[in-house]
Amino acid sequence: MPDIILPEMISGLPLALVTSSNAPLLLLDGELTVIAASASFGKAFLVDPARAAGTPLAILGTGEWNVPQLIALLKASGSGHAKIDGYEMDLKRAGAGLRHLILNAQRLDYPGAGSVRLILAVTDVTEALLAAKQKDDLLTKNAMMLRELQHRVANSLQIIASVLMQSARRVQSDEARVHLHDAHQRVMSVAEVQKQLSSTGMSDVDLKIYLTDLCRSIGASMIRDAKHIALEVRADHHMAGADLSISLGLITTELVINALKHAFCDDRGGTITVEYRADGASWVLSISDNGVGMPAGRAGVKDGLGTTIVAALAKRLDANVTMAEANPGTTVSITHAAIIAEPANTPEARSA
């Protein structure tokens, strides 16, 4: 013989669910009188669940639940004309701090129900909102401090670059002047990254804009006649972090300076092209000129500090340095190839 579920058993289920729940719940009738309150509700909102039963919602606690919009929504929900889903409200209780709540209400419809029953679920998100605000405030403060630091670093680099240029104008030794000019350009390559970071407020740099500005700076200080020697940039609008940008900028500075010094001797004119292309994590930076080309029997870039800097930076970036004849001129490429994992040598992989 099948079990018989009596109407009184069904009607008692909501009461049992509310009283045994670990969540803040209220069971209300059609007049919004409390039938039962969960222990969690009592603890969260300073209400005795035993005394709450039979109390109209409007006078529950110290009357803080008597919110006209909430009362209207609950009555509409009880009549089946509305549904409360994610309703937000502030609960103001005398002697206690303001609480921000999210409410959900559901009319219970089940066989044998003789009167309206509503379950009201309450979630207190006050602490979560406070933590989120504190996090946002901290992020905003850190962002402001970072921008201030970037401005100060950029200003300091500009001052150092200016001092180097002034010193280059004053010294009598041609060799010392050349070294000061080189040092000036190395400082400016870092300063351009700082400029990009400061202007965008981002942690990444647009390499097309960065390399263009960097080469414009190099050309302004080292190329006397832009019609005689041109400096062009062809680059993707690829975003890169500050560390990679600085390394690429220093490499570009060294190789462009090297080309300006050695590719166009005997008043020869021409073009230096800086090109950057990226495909995912793989990228290639190349500096080409249409100058005199490499000396016979010469396989690498010119020995000296520039060569050492380029080699060290390329190694740090896990990139390879190659030099080739451009006919005419020379092309130096810095290539970083992303490592692609090989498929596992398993029966499943071989049969795939």
Side-chain angles (χ1 to χ4, degrees), residues 184-225:
H184 168 264
Q185 288 307 323
R186 289 169 185 136
V187 171
M188 288 304 296
S189 68
V190 180
E192 286 296 338
V193 170
Q194 290 296 329
K195 176 182 174 182
Q196 292 293 325
L197 292 174
S198 298
S199 62
T200 62
M202 299 170 62
S203 59
D204 291 337
V205 174
D206 186 318
L207 288 176
K208 182 177 178 65
I209 297 174
Y210 166 51
L211 292 174
T212 300
D213 290 345
L214 175 60
C215 289
R216 185 182 296 117
S217 173
I218 296 174
S221 63
M222 298 193 68
I223 299 176
R224 295 181 180 179
D225 185 358

Side-chain angles (χ1 to χ4, degrees), residues 15-311:
L15 179 63
L17 288 173
V18 169
T19 55
S20 63
S21 174
N22 292 324
L25 298 177
L26 284 179
L27 179 61
L28 306 171
D29 64 15
E31 299 301 320
L32 304 188
T33 297
V34 177
I35 298 174
S38 68
S40 179
F41 182 93
K43 182 178 180 181
F45 302 106
L46 306 179
V47 171
D48 183 355
R51 295 183 179 182
T55 302
L57 180 65
I59 61 173
L60 189 65
T62 58
E64 62 269 21
W65 295 93
N66 188 19
V67 179
Q69 187 174 4
L70 173 62
I71 298 297
L73 284 173
L74 286 171
K75 287 185 177 180
S77 182
S79 63
H81 296 138
K83 182 180 179 181
I84 299 179
D85 187 10
Y87 174 67
E88 298 185 32
M89 72 170 242
D90 290 329
L91 186 72
K92 301 176 182 179
R93 180 184 175 90
L98 185 70
R99 312 302 295 178
H100 192 76
L101 310 178
I102 296 179
L103 284 72
N104 293 276
Q106 178 68 50
R107 172 176 168 156
L108 300 179
D109 292 311
Y110 51 88
S115 56
V116 174
R117 293 291 184 268
L118 287 171
I119 283 189
L120 177 64
V122 185
T123 304
D124 188 341
V125 295
T126 307
E127 300 301 330
L129 290 177
L130 179 60
K133 183 179 183 305
Q134 290 175 339
K135 180 181 178 180
D136 289 342
D137 291 345
L138 181 60
L139 290 174
T140 301
K141 181 179 179 180
N142 288 343
M144 292 176 61
M145 292 176 64
L146 178 59
R147 285 195 294 270
E148 177 65 22
L149 176 61
Q150 289 170 346
H151 282 303
R152 291 189 180 187
V153 171
N155 291 339
S156 298
L157 290 171
Q158 292 287 349
I159 292 172
I160 294 171
S162 297
V163 170
L164 289 171
M165 284 299 291
Q166 292 173 7
S167 300
R169 296 189 186 101
R170 289 196 301 264
V171 297
Q172 301 299 317
S173 168
D174 290 339
E175 182 180 1
R177 187 178 298 109
V178 169
H179 288 314
L180 287 169
H181 272 289
D182 290 353
H184 168 264
Q185 288 307 323
R186 289 169 185 136
V187 171
M188 288 304 296
S189 68
V190 180
E192 286 296 338
V193 170
Q194 290 296 329
K195 176 182 174 182
Q196 292 293 325
L197 292 174
S198 298
S199 62
T200 62
M202 299 170 62
S203 59
D204 291 337
V205 174
D206 186 318
L207 288 176
K208 182 177 178 65
I209 297 174
Y210 166 51
L211 292 174
T212 300
D213 290 345
L214 175 60
C215 289
R216 185 182 296 117
S217 173
I218 296 174
S221 63
M222 298 193 68
I223 299 176
R224 295 181 180 179
D225 185 358
K227 295 181 180 179
H228 186 63
I229 299 178
L231 184 52
E232 299 179 351
V233 176
R234 302 171 186 170
D236 299 329
H237 279 289
H238 183 78
M239 304 301 291
D243 288 344
L244 175 58
S245 301
I246 290 174
S247 297
L248 294 176
L250 288 171
I251 290 172
T252 300
T253 298
E254 297 300 332
L255 294 176
V256 169
I257 289 175
N258 188 69
L260 288 171
K261 287 181 180 179
H262 305 290
F264 305 106
C265 54
D266 300 328
D267 202 32
R268 180 188 180 111
T271 301
I272 299 173
T273 303
V274 176
E275 186 170 0
Y276 179 85
R277 293 288 180 259
D279 182 9
S282 300
W283 51 262
V284 177
L285 172 70
S286 63
I287 289 80
S288 305
D289 66 73
N290 56 0
V292 298
M294 293 185 292
R298 178 74 173 163
V301 290
K302 182 176 177 60
D303 293 333
L305 179 60
T307 303
T308 304
I309 291 175
V310 170

